[in-house]
């Protein structure tokens, strides 16, 4: 996945195809779109075009946006690049925000250690499988995930899923900034405000995401190592206080409702990458084995999510018996994570800083995918360079994180499950179209921006909207409980994903 500069590949001329494709796009996009029936040409001011070429000529900056990566522009497949697939997803998700998701089992859904662990492992497996399946389309097509969606949803309905995916990625940016800020604030003993921590996380995320694919892959290739080390240290430090005998609270109906809701939440989190997963595989050749792509993506997601969620469940279970952890949890989820390092004194604070900065690994791919989504929305969005959209996305989730910094658990409980509904509807439509309706027809990937050659999407849009009806009557959020959901356990259970 981490591809070398193309001029280093055998048989290549000394040129950066990522940059040349984008620079050509800046000068030719309008006429190309006019030919493909996408509307009248959009004039580009000469001064703006020159300024854009200067920025995109910076060393290491990816200039390519959503333009399809042609087969001749891709690198060769190799064992190391298949391994990089797993490392990418492991690095992006062995992070503190997923620790906090695990805590929700004991702390919000009142489940015991075993119930929480079982819901977590099996929910992660199912959700990660959805993302792994969607990741296979990147190498096949050379197109980003939301461009691929045009072939299944139709040109215009795909804009709806693109917009929803942008909201999802921005939401994760908000969560990452908040949890990172909470941890940094807790490490400083409250001397540094959460706002300052949010600034640090957002700034570093912006710096890496704005440069794009090359630096992103280098960062993700190594970022997991310190994270894994400090998380093992956390297990050694906090493990003795994990309450593995903790039992679920409530009658059988309430426990069942809690299990269903937490299982659905655990499914939603890894599945949320499904609408972006192929974005990072577009430089793999068309000959890439789909089963290998699926297996390596699933491996990276499953191992990372299981590891950190089980630690989070352990921390959450210990709150009931550890007064120090209970006090820390009253402050924030980040403070509870830092409390797990308490026995290590100053070194524990250092470990807390590493955990806090680890959320940047999770934030970068989401920021990158959201910026690409801005270009997929239409030809006006496509005219704006990817790096400028990154700046806009980072600014949006920075402001939202500042506003919502005191409500992390509420954001987790409501936002993640809510976003999981549309993801599973979308994946189901793609899977059915692929395996039932057109298993042998194939796809013309050169038609990626020609709405005349892409499907209208009436059937897909209808199926998508009908799916939302099921989600609405089955959802259970703090602000709304559907008529079907409220009949489960007396308190309501979130089954919107299944309906």
């Amino acid at each position: 996945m981490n591809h070398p500069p193309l001029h280093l590949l055998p048989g290549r001329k000394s040129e950066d195809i990522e940059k040349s494709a984008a620079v050509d796009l800046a000068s030719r996009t309008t006429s190309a779109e006019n030919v493909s029936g996408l509307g009248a040409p959009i004039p580009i001011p000469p001064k703006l075009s020159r300024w854009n070429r200067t920025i995109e000529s910076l060393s290491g900056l990816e200039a390519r946006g959503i333009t399809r990566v042609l087969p001749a522009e891709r690198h060769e497949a190799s064992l190391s690049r298949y391994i990089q697939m797993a490392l990418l997803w492991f690095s992006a998700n062995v992070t503190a925000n997923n620790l906090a998701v695990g805590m929700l089992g004991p702390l919000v859904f009142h489940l015991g250690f075993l119930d929480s662990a079982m819901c977590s492992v099996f929910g992660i497996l199912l959700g990660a499988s959805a993302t792994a399946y969607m990741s296979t389309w990147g190498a096949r097509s050379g197109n980003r995930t939301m461009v691929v969606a045009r072939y299944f949803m139709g040109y215009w309905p795909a804009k709806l899923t693109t917009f929803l995916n942008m909201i999802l990625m921005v939401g994760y940016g908000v969560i990452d900034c908040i949890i990172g800020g909470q941890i940094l604030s807790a490490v400083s003993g409250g001397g540094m405000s959460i706002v300052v921590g949010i600034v640090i996380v957002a700034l570093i995320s912006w710096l890496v995401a704005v440069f794009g694919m090359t630096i992103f892959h280098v960062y993700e290739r190594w970022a997991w190592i310190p994270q894994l080390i400090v998380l093992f240290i956390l297990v050694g430090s906090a493990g003795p206080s994990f309450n593995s005998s903790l039992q679920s609270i409530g009658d059988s109906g309430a426990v069942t409702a809690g299990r269903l809701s937490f299982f659905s939440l655990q499914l939603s989190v890894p599945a949320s990458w499904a609408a972006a997963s192929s974005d990072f595989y577009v430089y793999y050749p068309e000959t890439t084995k789909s089963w290998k792509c699926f297996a390596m993506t699933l491996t990276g997601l499953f191992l990372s999510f299981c590891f950190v969620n089980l630690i989070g469940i352990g921390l959450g279970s210990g709150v009931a018996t550890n007064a120090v952890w209970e006090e820390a949890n009253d402050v924030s989820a980040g403070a509870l994570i830092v409390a797990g390092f308490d026995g290590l004194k100053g070194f524990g604070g250092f470990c807390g800083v590493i955990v806090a900065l680890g959320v940047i690994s999770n934030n970068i791919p989401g920021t990158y995918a959201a910026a690409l989504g801005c270009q997929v929305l239409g030809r006006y969005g496509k005219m704006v360079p990817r790096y400028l959209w990154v700046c806009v996305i980072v600014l949006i989730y920075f402001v939202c994180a500042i506003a919502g910094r005191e409500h992390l658990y509420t954001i987790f409980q409501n936002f993640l499950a809510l976003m999981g509904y549309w993801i599973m509807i979308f994946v189901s439509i793609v899977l059915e179209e692929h395996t039932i309706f057109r298993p042998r027809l194939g796809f013309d990937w050169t038609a990626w921006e020609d709405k005349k050659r892409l499907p209208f999407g009436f059937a897909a849009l209808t199926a998508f909207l009908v799916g939302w009806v099921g989600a609405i009557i089955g959802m259970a959020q703090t602000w709304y409980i559907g008529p079907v959901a409220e009949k489960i356990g007396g308190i309501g259970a979130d089954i919107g994903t299944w309906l």
Side-chain angles (χ1 to χ4, degrees), residues 101-158:
V101 174
M103 296 176 191
L104 298 177
L107 298 179
V108 174
F109 298 101
H110 308 296
L111 296 176
F113 186 93
L114 182 59
D115 278 344
S116 296
M118 295 294 286
C119 290
S120 179
V121 169
F122 288 103
I124 288 168
L125 179 61
L126 190 57
S129 296
T131 295
Y133 166 68
M134 289 301 302
S135 73
T136 63
W137 294 101
R140 294 183 194 184
S141 67
N143 287 316
R144 314 291 184 163
T145 317
M146 287 294 98
V147 174
V148 172
R150 293 172 173 174
Y151 289 82
F152 298 99
M153 295 294 299
Y155 181 84
W156 296 106

Short mmCIF file of all heavy atoms in Angstrom, two decimals, residues 101-158:
data_model
loop_
_atom_site.label_atom_id
_atom_site.label_comp_id
_atom_site.label_asym_id
_atom_site.label_seq_id
_atom_site.Cartn_x
_atom_site.Cartn_y
_atom_site.Cartn_z
N VAL A 101 -14.77 3.41 23.10
CA VAL A 101 -15.95 2.66 22.65
C VAL A 101 -16.14 1.42 23.51
O VAL A 101 -17.25 1.07 23.91
CB VAL A 101 -15.80 2.26 21.16
CG1 VAL A 101 -16.97 1.37 20.74
CG2 VAL A 101 -15.77 3.50 20.28
N GLY A 102 -15.04 0.72 23.82
CA GLY A 102 -15.14 -0.46 24.67
C GLY A 102 -15.69 -0.16 26.04
O GLY A 102 -16.43 -0.97 26.63
N MET A 103 -15.36 1.01 26.59
CA MET A 103 -15.85 1.39 27.91
C MET A 103 -17.37 1.46 27.98
O MET A 103 -17.96 1.29 29.05
CB MET A 103 -15.29 2.77 28.30
CG MET A 103 -13.80 2.84 28.46
SD MET A 103 -13.31 4.56 28.81
CE MET A 103 -11.54 4.45 28.63
N LEU A 104 -18.00 1.72 26.84
CA LEU A 104 -19.45 1.91 26.84
C LEU A 104 -20.21 0.66 27.27
O LEU A 104 -21.31 0.75 27.81
CB LEU A 104 -19.93 2.33 25.45
CG LEU A 104 -19.38 3.65 24.91
CD1 LEU A 104 -19.87 3.90 23.49
CD2 LEU A 104 -19.78 4.80 25.81
N GLY A 105 -19.63 -0.53 27.04
CA GLY A 105 -20.32 -1.76 27.44
C GLY A 105 -20.67 -1.78 28.91
O GLY A 105 -21.85 -1.86 29.28
N PRO A 106 -19.68 -1.69 29.80
CA PRO A 106 -19.98 -1.68 31.23
C PRO A 106 -20.59 -0.36 31.73
O PRO A 106 -21.45 -0.37 32.61
CB PRO A 106 -18.61 -1.92 31.89
CG PRO A 106 -17.73 -2.44 30.80
CD PRO A 106 -18.25 -1.83 29.54
N LEU A 107 -20.14 0.77 31.18
CA LEU A 107 -20.50 2.07 31.77
C LEU A 107 -21.84 2.62 31.28
O LEU A 107 -22.53 3.31 32.04
CB LEU A 107 -19.40 3.09 31.47
CG LEU A 107 -18.01 2.78 32.05
CD1 LEU A 107 -17.02 3.86 31.66
CD2 LEU A 107 -18.10 2.67 33.58
N VAL A 108 -22.21 2.35 30.04
CA VAL A 108 -23.45 2.91 29.48
C VAL A 108 -24.52 1.85 29.32
O VAL A 108 -25.69 2.08 29.65
CB VAL A 108 -23.16 3.60 28.13
CG1 VAL A 108 -24.46 4.05 27.48
CG2 VAL A 108 -22.22 4.79 28.33
N PHE A 109 -24.13 0.67 28.83
CA PHE A 109 -25.12 -0.39 28.61
C PHE A 109 -25.22 -1.36 29.78
O PHE A 109 -26.00 -2.30 29.74
CB PHE A 109 -24.78 -1.14 27.31
CG PHE A 109 -24.84 -0.28 26.09
CD1 PHE A 109 -23.69 0.22 25.51
CD2 PHE A 109 -26.06 0.07 25.53
CE1 PHE A 109 -23.74 1.04 24.39
CE2 PHE A 109 -26.13 0.87 24.41
CZ PHE A 109 -24.96 1.37 23.83
N HIS A 110 -24.41 -1.14 30.81
CA HIS A 110 -24.47 -1.90 32.07
C HIS A 110 -24.31 -3.40 31.86
O HIS A 110 -24.98 -4.21 32.50
CB HIS A 110 -25.79 -1.60 32.80
CG HIS A 110 -26.07 -0.14 32.97
ND1 HIS A 110 -25.27 0.68 33.74
CD2 HIS A 110 -27.04 0.67 32.44
CE1 HIS A 110 -25.75 1.92 33.69
NE2 HIS A 110 -26.81 1.94 32.90
N LEU A 111 -23.41 -3.75 30.97
CA LEU A 111 -23.12 -5.15 30.70
C LEU A 111 -21.93 -5.62 31.52
O LEU A 111 -21.03 -4.83 31.85
CB LEU A 111 -22.83 -5.36 29.21
CG LEU A 111 -23.97 -5.06 28.24
CD1 LEU A 111 -23.50 -5.23 26.80
CD2 LEU A 111 -25.17 -5.97 28.50
N GLY A 112 -21.91 -6.90 31.81
CA GLY A 112 -20.78 -7.48 32.50
C GLY A 112 -19.59 -7.62 31.58
O GLY A 112 -19.67 -7.38 30.38
N PHE A 113 -18.45 -8.04 32.15
CA PHE A 113 -17.22 -8.16 31.38
C PHE A 113 -17.39 -9.16 30.24
O PHE A 113 -17.05 -8.87 29.08
CB PHE A 113 -16.06 -8.58 32.30
CG PHE A 113 -14.73 -8.59 31.62
CD1 PHE A 113 -13.90 -7.48 31.68
CD2 PHE A 113 -14.28 -9.70 30.92
CE1 PHE A 113 -12.66 -7.48 31.05
CE2 PHE A 113 -13.06 -9.72 30.28
CZ PHE A 113 -12.24 -8.60 30.35
N LEU A 114 -17.89 -10.35 30.53
CA LEU A 114 -18.03 -11.38 29.51
C LEU A 114 -19.03 -10.99 28.44
O LEU A 114 -18.77 -11.16 27.24
CB LEU A 114 -18.45 -12.70 30.16
CG LEU A 114 -18.59 -13.90 29.19
CD1 LEU A 114 -17.27 -14.17 28.49
CD2 LEU A 114 -19.06 -15.14 29.95
N ASP A 115 -20.18 -10.46 28.85
CA ASP A 115 -21.18 -10.01 27.86
C ASP A 115 -20.60 -8.95 26.94
O ASP A 115 -20.78 -8.98 25.71
CB ASP A 115 -22.42 -9.46 28.56
CG ASP A 115 -23.38 -10.56 29.00
OD1 ASP A 115 -23.23 -11.69 28.50
OD2 ASP A 115 -24.25 -10.28 29.83
N SER A 116 -19.89 -7.98 27.53
CA SER A 116 -19.30 -6.90 26.73
C SER A 116 -18.27 -7.45 25.76
O SER A 116 -18.23 -7.06 24.58
CB SER A 116 -18.65 -5.86 27.65
OG SER A 116 -19.60 -5.23 28.48
N ALA A 117 -17.43 -8.37 26.25
CA ALA A 117 -16.37 -8.91 25.41
C ALA A 117 -16.94 -9.71 24.24
O ALA A 117 -16.48 -9.59 23.10
CB ALA A 117 -15.44 -9.79 26.24
N MET A 118 -17.96 -10.53 24.49
CA MET A 118 -18.55 -11.34 23.43
C MET A 118 -19.23 -10.46 22.38
O MET A 118 -19.08 -10.67 21.17
CB MET A 118 -19.56 -12.32 24.02
CG MET A 118 -18.95 -13.37 24.94
SD MET A 118 -17.86 -14.50 24.05
CE MET A 118 -19.05 -15.50 23.17
N CYS A 119 -19.99 -9.46 22.83
CA CYS A 119 -20.64 -8.54 21.89
C CYS A 119 -19.60 -7.80 21.06
O CYS A 119 -19.79 -7.58 19.85
CB CYS A 119 -21.51 -7.54 22.64
SG CYS A 119 -22.99 -8.24 23.40
N SER A 120 -18.51 -7.43 21.71
CA SER A 120 -17.46 -6.69 21.03
C SER A 120 -16.79 -7.52 19.94
O SER A 120 -16.69 -7.10 18.78
CB SER A 120 -16.42 -6.21 22.05
OG SER A 120 -15.39 -5.50 21.41
N VAL A 121 -16.34 -8.71 20.28
CA VAL A 121 -15.58 -9.53 19.34
C VAL A 121 -16.42 -9.89 18.11
O VAL A 121 -15.97 -9.74 16.96
CB VAL A 121 -15.06 -10.81 20.03
CG1 VAL A 121 -14.50 -11.80 19.00
CG2 VAL A 121 -13.99 -10.46 21.06
N PHE A 122 -17.65 -10.36 18.33
CA PHE A 122 -18.47 -10.78 17.20
C PHE A 122 -19.02 -9.59 16.40
O PHE A 122 -19.18 -9.66 15.18
CB PHE A 122 -19.60 -11.69 17.68
CG PHE A 122 -19.12 -13.05 18.08
CD1 PHE A 122 -18.98 -13.40 19.42
CD2 PHE A 122 -18.75 -13.98 17.12
CE1 PHE A 122 -18.51 -14.65 19.79
CE2 PHE A 122 -18.29 -15.25 17.48
CZ PHE A 122 -18.16 -15.57 18.82
N GLY A 123 -19.31 -8.49 17.09
CA GLY A 123 -19.73 -7.29 16.38
C GLY A 123 -18.62 -6.74 15.50
O GLY A 123 -18.84 -6.35 14.35
N ILE A 124 -17.40 -6.74 16.02
CA ILE A 124 -16.24 -6.27 15.26
C ILE A 124 -16.01 -7.15 14.03
O ILE A 124 -15.74 -6.66 12.94
CB ILE A 124 -14.98 -6.25 16.15
CG1 ILE A 124 -15.09 -5.11 17.17
CG2 ILE A 124 -13.72 -6.11 15.32
CD1 ILE A 124 -14.05 -5.17 18.26
N LEU A 125 -16.12 -8.45 14.21
CA LEU A 125 -15.90 -9.37 13.09
C LEU A 125 -16.87 -9.09 11.94
O LEU A 125 -16.48 -9.04 10.76
CB LEU A 125 -16.05 -10.82 13.57
CG LEU A 125 -15.87 -11.91 12.49
CD1 LEU A 125 -14.47 -11.83 11.89
CD2 LEU A 125 -16.13 -13.28 13.09
N LEU A 126 -18.12 -8.88 12.26
CA LEU A 126 -19.12 -8.63 11.24
C LEU A 126 -18.92 -7.27 10.58
O LEU A 126 -18.96 -7.13 9.35
CB LEU A 126 -20.52 -8.72 11.84
CG LEU A 126 -21.71 -8.72 10.87
CD1 LEU A 126 -21.58 -9.85 9.86
CD2 LEU A 126 -23.02 -8.84 11.64
N GLY A 127 -18.69 -6.24 11.40
CA GLY A 127 -18.49 -4.90 10.85
C GLY A 127 -17.22 -4.80 10.02
O GLY A 127 -17.20 -4.16 8.96
N ALA A 128 -16.15 -5.44 10.48
CA ALA A 128 -14.88 -5.42 9.74
C ALA A 128 -15.01 -6.15 8.41
O ALA A 128 -14.36 -5.79 7.42
CB ALA A 128 -13.77 -6.05 10.58
N SER A 129 -15.85 -7.18 8.35
CA SER A 129 -16.06 -7.91 7.10
C SER A 129 -16.69 -7.00 6.05
O SER A 129 -16.37 -7.10 4.85
CB SER A 129 -16.96 -9.13 7.34
OG SER A 129 -16.33 -10.05 8.22
N ALA A 130 -17.61 -6.13 6.47
CA ALA A 130 -18.23 -5.19 5.53
C ALA A 130 -17.20 -4.24 4.94
O ALA A 130 -17.17 -4.00 3.72
CB ALA A 130 -19.34 -4.41 6.23
N THR A 131 -16.32 -3.72 5.78
CA THR A 131 -15.27 -2.82 5.30
C THR A 131 -14.28 -3.56 4.41
O THR A 131 -13.84 -3.04 3.38
CB THR A 131 -14.54 -2.19 6.49
OG1 THR A 131 -15.46 -1.34 7.21
CG2 THR A 131 -13.35 -1.35 6.04
N ALA A 132 -13.92 -4.79 4.79
CA ALA A 132 -12.98 -5.57 3.99
C ALA A 132 -13.55 -5.85 2.60
O ALA A 132 -12.82 -5.80 1.59
CB ALA A 132 -12.66 -6.88 4.71
N TYR A 133 -14.84 -6.13 2.53
CA TYR A 133 -15.47 -6.37 1.22
C TYR A 133 -15.40 -5.12 0.35
O TYR A 133 -15.02 -5.17 -0.82
CB TYR A 133 -16.92 -6.81 1.41
CG TYR A 133 -17.72 -6.76 0.12
CD1 TYR A 133 -17.45 -7.63 -0.92
CD2 TYR A 133 -18.73 -5.81 -0.04
CE1 TYR A 133 -18.18 -7.56 -2.11
CE2 TYR A 133 -19.46 -5.74 -1.21
CZ TYR A 133 -19.18 -6.62 -2.25
OH TYR A 133 -19.88 -6.54 -3.43
N MET A 134 -15.75 -3.97 0.91
CA MET A 134 -15.75 -2.74 0.13
C MET A 134 -14.34 -2.33 -0.29
O MET A 134 -14.15 -1.67 -1.31
CB MET A 134 -16.41 -1.61 0.92
CG MET A 134 -17.90 -1.74 1.10
SD MET A 134 -18.81 -1.83 -0.47
CE MET A 134 -18.31 -0.29 -1.25
N SER A 135 -13.33 -2.74 0.46
CA SER A 135 -11.95 -2.36 0.13
C SER A 135 -11.49 -3.00 -1.17
O SER A 135 -10.56 -2.50 -1.82
CB SER A 135 -11.01 -2.76 1.27
OG SER A 135 -10.82 -4.17 1.32
N THR A 136 -12.12 -4.10 -1.57
CA THR A 136 -11.66 -4.82 -2.77
C THR A 136 -11.91 -4.05 -4.06
O THR A 136 -11.33 -4.37 -5.10
CB THR A 136 -12.36 -6.19 -2.87
OG1 THR A 136 -13.78 -6.01 -3.02
CG2 THR A 136 -12.10 -7.03 -1.62
N TRP A 137 -12.76 -3.02 -4.02
CA TRP A 137 -13.10 -2.29 -5.24
C TRP A 137 -12.03 -1.28 -5.65
O TRP A 137 -12.01 -0.82 -6.79
CB TRP A 137 -14.44 -1.59 -5.08
CG TRP A 137 -15.57 -2.55 -4.93
CD1 TRP A 137 -16.20 -2.93 -3.78
CD2 TRP A 137 -16.19 -3.31 -5.98
NE1 TRP A 137 -17.17 -3.87 -4.04
CE2 TRP A 137 -17.19 -4.12 -5.38
CE3 TRP A 137 -16.00 -3.38 -7.35
CZ2 TRP A 137 -17.98 -4.99 -6.12
CZ3 TRP A 137 -16.80 -4.24 -8.09
CH2 TRP A 137 -17.78 -5.03 -7.47
N GLY A 138 -11.14 -0.92 -4.75
CA GLY A 138 -10.12 0.08 -5.08
C GLY A 138 -9.17 -0.39 -6.16
O GLY A 138 -8.94 0.31 -7.17
N ALA A 139 -8.60 -1.58 -5.97
CA ALA A 139 -7.66 -2.11 -6.96
C ALA A 139 -8.37 -2.51 -8.25
O ALA A 139 -7.84 -2.35 -9.35
CB ALA A 139 -6.92 -3.31 -6.38
N ARG A 140 -9.59 -3.02 -8.16
CA ARG A 140 -10.33 -3.41 -9.36
C ARG A 140 -10.58 -2.23 -10.28
O ARG A 140 -10.49 -2.35 -11.50
CB ARG A 140 -11.69 -4.00 -8.98
CG ARG A 140 -11.65 -5.30 -8.22
CD ARG A 140 -13.09 -5.78 -7.99
NE ARG A 140 -13.17 -6.83 -7.01
CZ ARG A 140 -14.30 -7.47 -6.69
NH1 ARG A 140 -15.42 -7.14 -7.28
NH2 ARG A 140 -14.31 -8.42 -5.78
N SER A 141 -10.92 -1.11 -9.68
CA SER A 141 -11.41 0.02 -10.48
C SER A 141 -10.42 1.16 -10.64
O SER A 141 -10.50 1.91 -11.61
CB SER A 141 -12.68 0.57 -9.84
OG SER A 141 -12.39 1.16 -8.57
N GLY A 142 -9.53 1.35 -9.66
CA GLY A 142 -8.69 2.54 -9.65
C GLY A 142 -9.44 3.77 -9.20
O GLY A 142 -8.93 4.89 -9.29
N ASN A 143 -10.66 3.57 -8.69
CA ASN A 143 -11.51 4.68 -8.26
C ASN A 143 -11.69 4.70 -6.74
O ASN A 143 -11.64 3.66 -6.09
CB ASN A 143 -12.90 4.57 -8.91
CG ASN A 143 -12.88 4.92 -10.37
OD1 ASN A 143 -12.25 5.89 -10.79
ND2 ASN A 143 -13.57 4.13 -11.19
N ARG A 144 -11.94 5.87 -6.21
CA ARG A 144 -12.22 6.02 -4.79
C ARG A 144 -13.59 5.42 -4.48
O ARG A 144 -14.44 5.26 -5.35
CB ARG A 144 -12.20 7.50 -4.39
CG ARG A 144 -11.02 8.27 -4.93
CD ARG A 144 -9.70 7.88 -4.31
NE ARG A 144 -8.61 8.71 -4.81
CZ ARG A 144 -7.41 8.83 -4.24
NH1 ARG A 144 -7.14 8.12 -3.16
NH2 ARG A 144 -6.48 9.61 -4.77
N THR A 145 -13.81 5.12 -3.22
CA THR A 145 -15.02 4.37 -2.83
C THR A 145 -16.30 5.07 -3.26
O THR A 145 -17.22 4.42 -3.78
CB THR A 145 -15.04 4.17 -1.30
OG1 THR A 145 -13.74 3.79 -0.85
CG2 THR A 145 -16.05 3.09 -0.92
N MET A 146 -16.39 6.37 -3.04
CA MET A 146 -17.63 7.06 -3.37
C MET A 146 -17.78 7.30 -4.86
O MET A 146 -18.88 7.60 -5.33
CB MET A 146 -17.71 8.39 -2.60
CG MET A 146 -18.00 8.20 -1.11
SD MET A 146 -19.65 7.50 -0.79
CE MET A 146 -19.28 5.76 -0.55
N VAL A 147 -16.70 7.16 -5.62
CA VAL A 147 -16.82 7.14 -7.08
C VAL A 147 -17.34 5.78 -7.52
O VAL A 147 -18.21 5.67 -8.40
CB VAL A 147 -15.47 7.46 -7.74
CG1 VAL A 147 -15.57 7.29 -9.26
CG2 VAL A 147 -15.03 8.87 -7.40
N VAL A 148 -16.85 4.72 -6.89
CA VAL A 148 -17.35 3.37 -7.16
C VAL A 148 -18.85 3.30 -6.85
O VAL A 148 -19.61 2.61 -7.53
CB VAL A 148 -16.58 2.33 -6.31
CG1 VAL A 148 -17.22 0.94 -6.43
CG2 VAL A 148 -15.13 2.26 -6.76
N ALA A 149 -19.28 4.04 -5.83
CA ALA A 149 -20.70 4.04 -5.45
C ALA A 149 -21.61 4.48 -6.59
O ALA A 149 -22.78 4.08 -6.64
CB ALA A 149 -20.92 4.94 -4.24
N ARG A 150 -21.08 5.26 -7.52
CA ARG A 150 -21.89 5.70 -8.65
C ARG A 150 -22.36 4.52 -9.51
O ARG A 150 -23.41 4.58 -10.13
CB ARG A 150 -21.08 6.66 -9.53
CG ARG A 150 -20.76 8.00 -8.86
CD ARG A 150 -19.80 8.81 -9.72
NE ARG A 150 -19.60 10.15 -9.18
CZ ARG A 150 -18.72 11.03 -9.69
NH1 ARG A 150 -17.98 10.69 -10.73
NH2 ARG A 150 -18.59 12.23 -9.15
N TYR A 151 -21.58 3.46 -9.53
CA TYR A 151 -21.92 2.29 -10.34
C TYR A 151 -23.02 1.45 -9.69
O TYR A 151 -23.70 0.68 -10.37
CB TYR A 151 -20.68 1.42 -10.57
CG TYR A 151 -19.67 2.04 -11.49
CD1 TYR A 151 -18.75 2.99 -11.02
CD2 TYR A 151 -19.63 1.70 -12.83
CE1 TYR A 151 -17.81 3.56 -11.85
CE2 TYR A 151 -18.68 2.27 -13.69
CZ TYR A 151 -17.79 3.20 -13.20
OH TYR A 151 -16.87 3.78 -14.04
N PHE A 152 -23.20 1.60 -8.40
CA PHE A 152 -24.20 0.81 -7.68
C PHE A 152 -25.41 1.64 -7.27
O PHE A 152 -26.54 1.17 -7.30
CB PHE A 152 -23.57 0.19 -6.43
CG PHE A 152 -22.45 -0.77 -6.73
CD1 PHE A 152 -21.13 -0.36 -6.65
CD2 PHE A 152 -22.73 -2.07 -7.12
CE1 PHE A 152 -20.10 -1.24 -6.94
CE2 PHE A 152 -21.71 -2.96 -7.41
CZ PHE A 152 -20.39 -2.54 -7.33
N MET A 153 -25.17 2.89 -6.88
CA MET A 153 -26.25 3.76 -6.42
C MET A 153 -26.80 4.64 -7.53
O MET A 153 -27.92 5.15 -7.43
CB MET A 153 -25.74 4.66 -5.29
CG MET A 153 -25.35 3.95 -4.01
SD MET A 153 -26.76 3.19 -3.18
CE MET A 153 -27.80 4.60 -2.84
N GLY A 154 -26.01 4.82 -8.60
CA GLY A 154 -26.37 5.77 -9.63
C GLY A 154 -25.62 7.08 -9.43
O GLY A 154 -25.17 7.39 -8.31
N TYR A 155 -25.48 7.85 -10.49
CA TYR A 155 -24.67 9.08 -10.42
C TYR A 155 -25.20 10.05 -9.38
O TYR A 155 -24.45 10.57 -8.55
CB TYR A 155 -24.62 9.75 -11.80
CG TYR A 155 -23.78 11.00 -11.82
CD1 TYR A 155 -22.41 10.92 -11.98
CD2 TYR A 155 -24.37 12.26 -11.67
CE1 TYR A 155 -21.62 12.06 -11.99
CE2 TYR A 155 -23.60 13.41 -11.69
CZ TYR A 155 -22.22 13.31 -11.84
OH TYR A 155 -21.45 14.44 -11.84
N TRP A 156 -26.51 10.32 -9.41
CA TRP A 156 -27.07 11.31 -8.49
C TRP A 156 -27.28 10.76 -7.08
O TRP A 156 -26.92 11.43 -6.10
CB TRP A 156 -28.38 11.88 -9.06
CG TRP A 156 -28.17 12.64 -10.33
CD1 TRP A 156 -28.49 12.24 -11.59
CD2 TRP A 156 -27.55 13.92 -10.48
NE1 TRP A 156 -28.12 13.17 -12.52
CE2 TRP A 156 -27.55 14.22 -11.87
CE3 TRP A 156 -27.01 14.83 -9.58
CZ2 TRP A 156 -27.01 15.40 -12.37
CZ3 TRP A 156 -26.48 16.02 -10.08
CH2 TRP A 156 -26.48 16.30 -11.45
N PRO A 157 -27.86 9.57 -6.89
CA PRO A 157 -28.01 9.05 -5.52
C PRO A 157 -26.68 8.85 -4.80
O PRO A 157 -26.63 8.92 -3.57
CB PRO A 157 -28.72 7.70 -5.74
CG PRO A 157 -29.48 7.87 -7.02
CD PRO A 157 -28.59 8.71 -7.87
N ALA A 158 -25.60 8.63 -5.55
CA ALA A 158 -24.29 8.47 -4.91
C ALA A 158 -23.85 9.73 -4.19
O ALA A 158 -23.03 9.68 -3.26
CB ALA A 158 -23.24 8.07 -5.95
#
